[in-house]
Amino acid sequence: MYSSMEQQQAEKVKCLIIGSGPAGYTAAIYAARANLKPVLYTGVEVGGQLMQTTEVENFPGYPDGILGPEMMTDLQKQAERMGTDIRFGYVTSVDFSGKLHKVVVDETTQIYAEAVIIATGASAKWLGLPSEQRLNGSGVSACAVCDGFFYRGMDVAVVGAGDTACEEALYLSNLCPKVHMLVRRDEMRASKIMQERVKAKSNILVHWNTETEEILGENTVTGVRVLNSRTNQTTEIPIQGFFVAIGHKPNTDIFKGWLDMDAEGYLLTKSGSSHTNVEGVFASGDAQDKIYRQAVTAAGSGCMAALDAERYLSHKEFMESHNWTAVSH
Ligand code: NDP
């Protein structure tokens, strides 16, 4: 429990939003329009996962598609225009034990908020191989759009079989002579349309039932050793770049011990709402959604969180103005 002295000296805000993806910015737009004077902390990856995407074709309202970074810049501008105080900073810990919620930014700045909207998103998962860690940044990457350029004219591999892996493979197929897709089962999880696009590319070679055993190379990637789980045969594929696209992990570690979450770390919300188990703390976007995980659903849940926060705050204000203490929903 934090001390009241600590609280008196720190900045107090009505509504604090953590995260700058579609959920965070949408929450900010709604909260600002509801006069909650939101303060939004962007996190390190300003704009979130969409900053690493090329064309977004499925966000309603863009008949010709839009580049992910462009969409995030637009959302940021819209949130700012409505009056959101957007700050660069990374929330390193929280304390939800008091009436006001304490949020610590960059391990030093303490802020107390009446309502907190969590929109911290998710981050790329890694295979967990020592060679992957050793060669990260020297041939190993989790973002083709960010790093693909460095592998122009070279052969590369992509591990994974979801939409992200297909997207990465397609992107790389325009830069690299050969793209090896390493798929651990005999089918892909990706949507049919993405699978069709991959199939149509003659320089993408799909390796089915294939597990990555080790990424090869001392200081740079020279190949990958794979195991075919059907034949039990091990082979080495010469490559210079290795791209990991095996899904994501919610960025919720700082909320452990405070908020209810499932075994994978996705925040649990009360059915049909953004309410967490702590009053005044709301969860939105990929940090709480492991099913849909789309930009448009994240934006929708950011809107829900802002509306829930607004109702919570006006109810609280009403109760306090009548000297009633109980807060219920
Ligand atoms: P997904 O969870 O959908 O897919 C992860 C893939 O990685 C699966 O094929 C999985 O294999 C594989 N995988 C997981 N662990 C390993 C491992 N250790 N070794 C090898 N392979 C592994 O994640 P995505 O990031 O692809 O997609 C997330 C969400 O975002 C989805 O809902 C997707 O539709 C959406 N998305 C949409 C896009 C679009 O519409 N343009 C673009 C990108 C993402 P297995 O199938 O065997 O479990």
Side-chain angles (χ1 to χ4, degrees), residues 39 143 181 222 274 317:
V39 170
C143 177
M181 243 185 120
T222 55
S274 65
E317 210 170 287

Side-chain angles (χ1 to χ4, degrees), residues 20-284:
S20 56
Y25 284 140
T26 306
I29 292 164
Y30 274 77
R33 293 187 83 243
N35 205 24
L36 303 187
K37 300 184 173 51
V39 170
L40 181 149
Y41 275 95
T42 59
V44 179
E45 282 176 52
V46 183
Q49 292 175 69
L50 277 177
M51 296 302 283
Q52 294 168 9
T53 311
T54 44
E55 194 83 354
V56 179
E57 292 176 336
N58 50 11
F59 200 95
Y62 296 102
D64 303 318
I66 183 166
L67 293 175
E70 211 177 311
M71 186 163 93
M72 295 321 296
T73 306
D74 283 349
L75 275 170
Q76 180 183 342
K77 280 190 200 154
Q78 196 175 351
E80 266 166 348
R81 190 169 73 83
M82 296 301 152
T84 309
D85 179 353
I86 297 178
R87 302 177 187 175
F88 182 77
Y90 187 72
V91 173
T92 42
S93 65
V94 296
D95 182 338
F96 293 155
S97 62
K99 264 191 175 173
L100 289 178
H101 303 304
K102 177 178 164 184
V103 171
V104 180
V105 182
D106 297 328
E107 281 172 3
T108 48
T109 311
Q110 298 181 3
I111 299 186
Y112 288 81
E114 286 183 59
V116 174
I117 295 177
I118 297 167
T120 46
S123 298
K125 273 189 198 164
W126 298 94
L127 293 170
L129 299 170
S131 52
E132 174 190 54
Q133 211 176 355
R134 185 166 48 81
L135 293 163
N136 197 339
S138 305
V140 173
S141 164
C143 177
V145 178
C146 321
D147 301 327
F149 183 77
F150 304 117
Y151 301 95
R152 272 174 313 158
M154 301 177 195
D155 289 346
V156 296
V158 175
V159 60
D163 281 333
T164 304
C166 290
E167 213 176 48
E168 303 269 278
L170 287 166
Y171 182 82
L172 291 165
S173 70
N174 293 325
L175 299 168
C176 306
K178 202 175 278 177
V179 179
H180 299 272
M181 243 185 120
L182 312 178
V183 177
R184 67 177 174 183
R185 292 187 291 136
D186 58 0
E187 60 177 356
M188 286 196 199
R189 186 187 291 264
S191 55
K192 284 280 168 284
I193 185 166
M194 294 303 272
Q195 292 195 38
E196 290 305 322
R197 284 181 193 170
V198 163
K199 259 190 227 159
K201 280 277 181 176
S202 57
N203 62 335
I204 301 181
L205 189 64
V206 179
H207 300 256
W208 303 101
N209 304 301
T210 299
E211 286 164 24
T212 305
E213 278 199 339
E214 212 61 71
I215 304 157
L216 309 171
E218 272 307 309
N219 302 314
T220 56
V221 170
T222 55
V224 58
R225 193 174 68 236
V226 295
L227 171 77
N228 185 305
S229 55
R230 284 275 163 90
T231 61
N232 225 14
Q233 218 172 6
T234 301
T235 39
E236 288 186 7
I237 306 170
I239 48 157
Q240 279 84 54
F242 185 84
F243 291 85
V244 182
I246 60 167
H248 293 85
K249 178 187 173 302
N251 299 320
T252 56
D253 285 354
I254 51 168
F255 307 113
K256 271 189 188 140
W258 297 109
L259 299 181
D260 291 344
M261 49 184 81
D262 70 8
E264 293 165 81
Y266 287 92
L267 298 175
L268 300 178
T269 49
K270 288 181 189 150
S271 177
S273 82
S274 65
H275 290 266
T276 65
N277 56 303
V278 174
E279 253 172 26
V281 178
F282 307 89
S284 62

